[in-house]
Amino acid sequence: MEPAKILILEDEFIVAEDISAQLSREGYQVTGIFDNGMDAIAAVRNNAPDIALIDINIQGDIDGIETAGIIAKIVNIPLIFVTAYSGHSYIDRAKKVKPHAYIVKPFNFLNLVSAIELALYNFQNNRQIASSLEAKVTPTEEQFRNYLVNDFLFLKRGNRFDKINTTDILYLEADGSYCHVFTRSGKYTLSQNLQKVLLNIKNGSFVRTHRSFAINIKHVTGRTKSSLLINNFRIPISSQYKEAIMVMMKSL
């Protein structure tokens, strides 16, 4: 297999050289080190890397976030921000570019390698799924187990996968290392635990009510002292989550 090609956008020369040297020792191919956005963009046009590591505070008229946005329009590759900036304003801007990771300096190099490997794996996995859908080929169950995205997920029913919008999910129930997903159209099961499913579903309407349950707050039809009602389902509330649930319900 060809080594992954990595572009580094970092205006601190010593930091950039250190990252490059360590990545090379790990078997990656560093395609170039740049300290400004325009040069990095030109390099991407000429020789697209497999992944880009991008600092926010760089030389030139555009910062790393703006540069990442332009790169994303040129080529579809994973983008990882590696920066000393961790404020909400920077993160909120960065999120619009949809980076695969956001690493705050100083960082452990092993964490950076892990982020690179996960970004490359998830990117390739999602590309395979997209290709399978375009070709009307059924992706593997392992791919769908990992394909949880912001607005929808694929859930297996019999020999097929149904595309379910997260807004249509009523509630989730833990079952050991599995998670049952209840929708109006029926029950599905994911081969991931409840915590992992919640981490991947970015819909802000979901809230944990109990160690074994999480609900879509928008589907609540009533409540009692110790439970919430979703149609005919009674979901228990533990004291640990009661306050957060009440706050969310008041905001509806």
Side-chain angles (χ1 to χ4, degrees):
M1 180 182 289
E2 293 279 332
K5 297 184 294 183
I6 301 179
L7 178 144
I8 300 173
L9 177 54
E10 166 64 64
D11 69 342
E12 292 187 37
F13 178 76
I14 294 176
V15 173
E17 285 291 329
D18 182 52
I19 292 174
S20 176
Q22 294 194 67
L23 289 176
S24 296
R25 284 196 291 270
E26 290 293 325
Y28 300 104
Q29 178 186 347
V30 177
T31 60
I33 298 174
F34 304 93
D35 64 2
N36 69 89
M38 299 311 295
D39 285 348
I41 291 167
V44 168
R45 291 185 190 276
N46 292 328
N47 180 25
D50 296 313
I51 191 167
L53 307 182
I54 300 174
D55 191 7
I56 291 177
N57 183 29
I58 56 176
Q59 302 292 325
D61 296 328
I62 59 175
D63 68 9
I65 297 175
E66 293 173 284
T67 303
I70 296 171
I71 289 174
K73 293 177 181 178
I74 298 172
V75 61
N76 183 22
I77 59 171
L79 304 172
I80 295 179
F81 286 111
V82 183
T83 178
Y85 292 88
S86 58
H88 290 301
S89 61
Y90 291 102
I91 294 174
D92 287 342
R93 284 183 59 215
K95 285 192 294 187
K96 295 177 182 179
V97 185
K98 299 180 180 178
H100 284 68
Y102 192 105
I103 298 175
V104 178
K105 299 175 182 176
F107 57 87
N108 182 301
F109 183 73
L110 291 178
N111 291 341
L112 177 60
V113 171
S114 297
I116 291 171
E117 286 299 312
L118 283 171
L120 290 170
Y121 171 79
N122 289 331
F123 178 77
Q124 182 62 29
N125 191 46
N126 291 349
R127 255 202 337 194
Q128 289 173 353
I129 290 171
S131 297
S132 297
L133 290 174
E134 289 176 4
K136 296 184 179 179
V137 176
T138 303
T140 66
E141 183 175 358
E142 180 182 0
Q143 287 175 321
F144 274 114
R145 282 204 303 269
N146 291 315
Y147 195 40
L148 301 174
V149 297
N150 289 2
D151 299 324
F152 63 89
L153 46 75
F154 286 93
L155 301 173
K156 189 175 183 181
R157 172 175 284 178
N159 293 321
R160 73 177 193 188
F161 287 92
D162 294 339
K163 180 181 178 181
I164 305 295
N165 195 302
T166 56
T167 59
D168 295 328
I169 296 173
L170 303 177
Y171 68 95
L172 307 168
E173 181 180 5
D175 183 7
S177 59
Y178 294 87
C179 178
H180 301 305
V181 181
F182 293 85
T183 71
R184 288 195 181 95
S185 60
K187 172 184 172 183
Y188 300 84
T189 299
L190 281 173
S191 302
Q192 292 189 349
N193 62 37
L194 177 59
Q195 182 65 23
K196 286 184 178 179
V197 174
L198 287 174
L199 285 173
N200 283 281
I201 296 178
K202 303 300 192 297
N203 189 317
S205 298
F206 284 84
V207 59
R208 199 83 174 255
T209 66
H210 184 276
R211 65 190 299 270
S212 298
F213 290 91
I215 63 161
N216 185 337
I217 199 81
K218 294 188 181 298
H219 289 297
V220 173
T221 54
R223 68 182 178 92
T224 68
K225 190 173 182 179
S226 60
S227 63
L228 291 172
L229 303 177
I230 297 181
N231 297 334
N232 296 323
F233 304 107
R234 187 181 296 269
I235 314 298
I237 303 174
S238 69
S239 57
Q240 180 182 356
Y241 302 103
K242 187 172 184 179
E243 184 177 349
I245 293 168
M246 292 304 107
V247 170
M248 285 193 72
M249 291 193 68
K250 286 177 183 178
S251 67
L252 293 178

